[in-house]
Amino acid sequence: MTEEKKGERKAIQAAKEMGRIMAAYFYELNDAAQTRSKKTAWCTSVGPAEILRSLGFLVYFPENHGAMLGATRMATDMIAEANAIGYSPDICSYLTADIGAFRKGVTPLSRAYKGIESVPKPDVLVYNTNQCRDVQDWFAWYSRELQVPLVGIETHRGVGDVSQTHVESIAKQMEAIIAPLETVAGQTFDLEELKRVLTLSRQCSELWKQVLETAAHAPSPLTFYDGTIHMGPAVVLRGTQQAVDYYTLLLAELKDRTANDVAAVEDERHRLYWEGMPIWGRLSAHAKMFAALRTCVVASTYCSSWIFSAFDPDDPFTSMARAYTELFIVRSDESKERYLKQMIDFFHIDGVIYHDAKTCPYNTNCRYGMPQRIEALTGIPSLTLHGDLNDLRLISDEQTKTNVEAFVEQLEEKKA
Ligand code: SF4
């Protein structure tokens, strides 16, 4: 391979359509906030978005905004603003970047979408603590600041097998948020509408799962870095026809690639699994770094977090409760290890990278011996990278590069 070709990655054609639907999503939120034509709910990324859509809310996700602050490398400058009002630099850097940006009156949406000057004002804030407690604190700040009602679901954590008791208690909490949401929405809850939305969410989830599973093919038609971009509609538009149409299009392109052995990373030699949060401000740099080493990061826990296989429109509350509790982040270490073993086998993984994200202990699974246990179980080596999702002061690019190169060399020796 020539030097110029090293690190070449194959662009996904569907990205243009994704850009279009994401733009339409943000402009609709912006228009509604300005004209007050529709109510807007802010929701956590694995919160009860389907209930909100069924009540006619447009749904905005502050974590998506946090990731945009990270990807545009605006986040680091915003964090100090939240630290100044008592939010520690050690807590979630989505939270600190997002609150900091709000206080400074800036948003990456203005850069990406002409005419949008701020995030859309919420009519209600809705959280689920299934991922962490930080989301509740985050939304509580906005509730006080904007004088907007806050409702939420408190999920069990460290769950082994998801039992009927877990499911029933979450389902009851989901039913209990309907009444306060009806008051804000100014409309009555309609079970048939929830079933319709949940059907679309289920389709979106199934298509997204199939998209990610195409990476089991060698060479892989997509990378983790593609996944972090293309998961946008699964996060913010699940429950809509647009998301279903988009993943139908993307899946066709990726199936075409696998049929023709088109590789996302030219001359793929090693296949890695990414465990933990993305490093948003380094997506492009890391995609290039791995590609130059003929290494494809083919799969991740993170991108798979928006697969909700339990959704069943015929049993909406119970199935939503189960789906939003079966998530990796909610589970015990034993369940997580079983899952990781399956992923390593399914995607034919040569090595695992654990991201120790300083400000997100919830999505960091390498602090209590898990890499060593997984290595003993599978014989697959691992590397831990120290960094953060958003705070670039916590990342050493030199150290990352040195460690990744040494790890890939180790994989190469294993194959030789
Ligand atoms: S899971 Fe981690 S990154 Fe996500 S909101 Fe919670 S603390 Fe922040």
Side-chain angles (χ1 to χ4, degrees):
M1 189 197 298
T2 62
E3 276 306 303
E4 308 81 75
K5 278 214 144 199
K6 260 175 99 176
E8 211 161 272
R9 293 160 301 139
K10 184 97 183 150
I12 291 178
Q13 300 304 311
K16 201 170 165 208
E17 174 60 9
M18 191 190 68
R20 190 190 69 74
I21 63 169
M22 292 298 280
Y25 163 75
F26 284 115
Y27 279 119
E28 186 181 22
L29 280 164
N30 190 56
D31 290 347
Q34 285 181 349
T35 59
R36 307 302 298 149
S37 53
K38 278 188 176 172
K39 299 278 172 74
T40 296
W42 287 16
C43 184
T44 52
S45 66
V46 276
E50 291 74 17
I51 293 176
L52 299 171
R53 286 200 197 287
S54 78
L55 279 160
F57 288 105
L58 297 180
V59 190
Y60 168 82
F61 297 84
E63 283 152 82
N64 173 250
H65 190 248
M68 288 177 84
L69 284 160
T72 52
R73 290 180 287 285
M74 293 169 71
T76 307
D77 291 339
M78 304 297 138
I79 290 169
E81 190 71 24
N83 300 155
I85 56 162
Y87 287 81
S88 163
D90 294 334
I91 64 165
C92 174
S93 57
Y94 275 170
L95 180 163
T96 47
D98 182 67
I99 290 180
F102 187 86
R103 282 173 52 86
K104 277 176 172 264
V106 294
T107 169
L109 293 174
S110 302
R111 286 189 188 174
Y113 306 111
K114 198 164 180 269
I116 297 184
E117 284 169 11
S118 69
V119 297
K121 189 176 177 302
D123 295 287
V124 65
L125 302 149
V126 185
Y127 66 85
N128 187 335
T129 59
N130 48 3
Q131 56 195 99
C132 63
R133 65 157 282 174
D134 293 49
V135 288
Q136 185 179 1
D137 289 280
W138 183 354
F139 281 30
W141 183 83
Y142 279 109
S143 177
R144 290 188 296 269
E145 182 74 14
L146 301 172
Q147 295 296 300
V148 170
L150 174 69
V151 295
I153 294 158
E154 318 285 332
T155 289
H156 314 265
R157 299 190 43 78
V159 172
D161 292 329
V162 178
S163 70
Q164 201 50 30
T165 313
H166 294 128
V167 171
E168 278 169 16
S169 79
I170 303 297
K172 277 201 187 102
Q173 291 186 61
M174 286 181 166
E175 286 173 33
I177 65 172
I178 299 283
L181 289 173
E182 282 179 325
T183 306
V184 180
Q187 73 179 61
T188 308
F189 172 70
D190 177 352
L191 185 61
E192 290 311 309
E193 179 59 8
L194 177 62
K195 289 181 178 182
R196 187 190 71 80
V197 172
L198 198 58
T199 301
L200 290 168
S201 253
R202 172 67 209 242
Q203 287 170 5
C204 171
S205 162
E206 191 49 42
L207 286 161
W208 178 233
K209 181 169 182 274
Q210 289 178 42
V211 162
L212 294 177
E213 286 181 351
T214 61
H217 184 82
S220 172
L222 86 163
T223 70
F224 162 60
Y225 300 98
D226 297 319
T228 58
I229 304 302
H230 289 268
M231 64 188 249
V235 179
V236 304
L237 285 165
R238 65 179 187 272
T240 70
Q241 189 63 46
Q242 291 96 309
V244 172
D245 292 346
Y246 177 64
Y247 288 119
T248 304
L249 180 78
L250 178 61
L251 183 60
E253 182 177 344
L254 295 176
K255 280 188 170 170
D256 189 55
R257 281 190 180 190
T258 56
N260 294 292
D261 283 337
V262 175
V265 167
E266 176 118 357
D267 207 14
E268 174 190 296
R269 172 104 177 128
H270 306 292
R271 298 167 62 84
L272 301 185
Y273 185 86
W274 184 276
E275 199 335 273
M277 293 296 291
I279 301 172
W280 288 107
R282 292 290 182 266
L283 288 186
S284 169
H286 285 186
K288 284 184 193 142
M289 172 179 69
F290 283 109
L293 294 165
R294 295 166 61 198
T295 298
C296 185
V297 184
V298 297
S300 66
T301 312
Y302 185 73
C303 290
S304 301
S305 299
W306 282 268
I307 296 171
F308 306 105
S309 300
F311 280 168
D312 176 3
D314 291 330
D315 190 6
F317 286 99
T318 307
S319 71
M320 284 190 300
R322 180 170 287 284
Y324 284 123
T325 310
E326 278 180 350
L327 294 174
F328 182 90
I329 196 168
V330 183
R331 313 298 291 282
S332 66
D333 275 12
E334 290 76 15
S335 306
K336 288 178 178 176
E337 286 165 30
R338 278 199 299 275
Y339 175 83
L340 290 175
K341 162 98 175 64
Q342 281 170 14
M343 296 294 265
I344 287 168
D345 292 343
F346 183 80
F347 287 103
H348 316 293
I349 297 298
D350 300 313
V352 180
I353 294 196
Y354 292 86
H355 175 203
D356 188 336
K358 174 86 164 82
T359 71
C360 178
Y362 314 96
N363 264 321
T364 295
N365 288 294
C366 53
R367 295 181 185 171
Y368 298 90
M370 191 181 290
Q372 290 73 10
R373 290 195 294 277
I374 294 283
E375 208 165 318
L377 186 68
T378 62
I380 298 298
S382 65
L383 168 71
T384 294
L385 294 177
H386 295 273
D388 192 53
L389 48 139
N390 262 2
D391 191 339
L392 296 179
R393 295 167 299 183
L394 301 170
I395 294 163
S396 163
D397 290 321
E398 271 312 301
Q399 197 66 56
T400 300
K401 189 165 181 286
T402 305
N403 290 347
V404 167
E405 284 175 355
F407 185 59
V408 171
E409 215 173 288
Q410 182 191 339
L411 297 180
E412 190 60 44
E413 280 165 14
K414 219 175 155 211
K415 275 195 176 158

